[in-house]
Amino acid sequence: MFPGSPTSLATGLSALCLTLLLWAPAAEGQVSYAPPDLSGDAPEPEGQGQRRIEEFAIGVPLFYDVPRDIVRPGVNFGGRIGLDWRYFGAFIDAGVALIPIDLNALRPGLGRDPLVRLHGGLGVRLQFPTKYVRPYADLVIDFNGWSFRSIEFDCVGVLPGGFWCYGTGAFEFSPGWSGRVGVNITVKGPWSIDLGSAFSMSYRGNLFSRPQFWLEPYIGFTMRH
């Protein structure tokens, strides 16, 4: 056969087509390959995915329009569990607060005891999530139980190293509400630090002669998963 004959040309074209067919998938695979992300940081979820939140915070209640030498700054241990949908959230709030009342400043010998507040509530949240910070604003309806010098502690039984003690007493119901503004700062994975301040009020109920107002800066930890 001659090099330029039709039979030779057809054989060469067939070989070329077969080579291209075998090379094209390999070339396509090389172009579309992307190395895995080994940074350990999961990408920010998109859309309105539901997430569960668990929070714990310690705050310092500072009451308005009270004698400062009698009503001292207190401490509030609070927690929240709930759900959020990226920009909105809903949660259950609960905690206990202790506010020192120093009646010795009024008259020596009257003593100093804590005003106890047990509280639970239902809240909603508006937030703006970004990669590292999450500013938010909360509105909470509070159900408060107040007690002052109405709790008695009894210790029964002897355990290794001490006694088993429990407290009993009466709490006066009073509704109220709280507004909070703060920010979650991402630390690692689902964990973040919570910084903010709450403005709260309680209606007078059966314990107070008038509504009570207080400001409460707080710090806490949040897990979102």
Side-chain angles (χ1 to χ4, degrees):
M1 297 181 182
F2 297 100
S5 67
T7 304
S8 174
L9 182 59
T11 303
L13 290 175
S14 299
L16 179 60
C17 291
L18 181 60
T19 302
L20 290 175
L21 288 173
L22 294 174
W23 175 81
E28 182 181 356
Q30 292 176 359
V31 172
S32 62
Y33 172 75
D37 182 10
L38 302 179
S39 64
D41 295 330
E44 183 72 17
E46 298 180 358
Q48 304 293 326
Q50 178 178 291
R51 309 289 291 276
R52 189 173 70 184
I53 56 173
E54 299 170 2
E55 300 179 345
F56 173 77
I58 300 176
V60 180
L62 305 170
F63 278 71
Y64 285 101
D65 194 23
V66 294
R68 300 295 181 184
D69 56 340
I70 297 177
V71 183
R72 303 289 190 173
V75 60
N76 181 42
F77 302 96
R80 293 175 285 279
I81 58 173
L83 300 172
D84 73 24
W85 296 268
R86 194 165 176 80
Y87 295 105
F88 303 95
F91 55 88
I92 299 173
D93 181 275
V96 56
L98 305 173
I99 299 95
I101 306 297
D102 189 3
L103 297 179
N104 287 321
L106 186 63
R107 191 175 70 187
L110 292 181
R112 176 173 177 168
D113 292 287
L115 172 65
V116 182
R117 173 187 176 232
L118 296 180
H119 59 92
L122 302 174
V124 293
R125 171 170 293 183
L126 178 66
Q127 59 188 3
F128 184 76
T130 65
K131 186 174 182 180
Y132 296 109
V133 297
R134 185 183 297 261
Y136 66 86
D138 292 346
L139 181 63
V140 187
I141 300 175
D142 291 319
F143 304 96
N144 302 305
W146 297 93
S147 181
F148 181 66
R149 291 187 172 178
S150 297
I151 302 176
E152 297 181 356
F153 290 93
D154 295 322
C155 295
V156 296
V158 179
L159 299 177
F163 294 88
W164 174 42
C165 300
Y166 64 95
T168 59
F171 286 82
E172 301 291 344
F173 172 74
S174 177
W177 58 267
S178 296
R180 285 193 292 255
V181 291
V183 61
N184 288 140
I185 304 172
T186 301
V187 177
K188 184 174 179 60
W191 293 97
S192 60
I193 296 176
D194 192 12
L195 299 173
S197 185
F199 177 76
S200 303
M201 68 86 61
S202 173
Y203 294 102
R204 65 180 187 176
N206 295 322
L207 184 65
F208 304 115
S209 60
R210 57 182 174 83
Q212 301 294 322
F213 301 87
W214 64 94
L215 181 69
E216 184 180 319
Y218 61 85
I219 182 172
F221 298 94
T222 299
M223 183 172 68
R224 179 175 282 99
H225 54 94

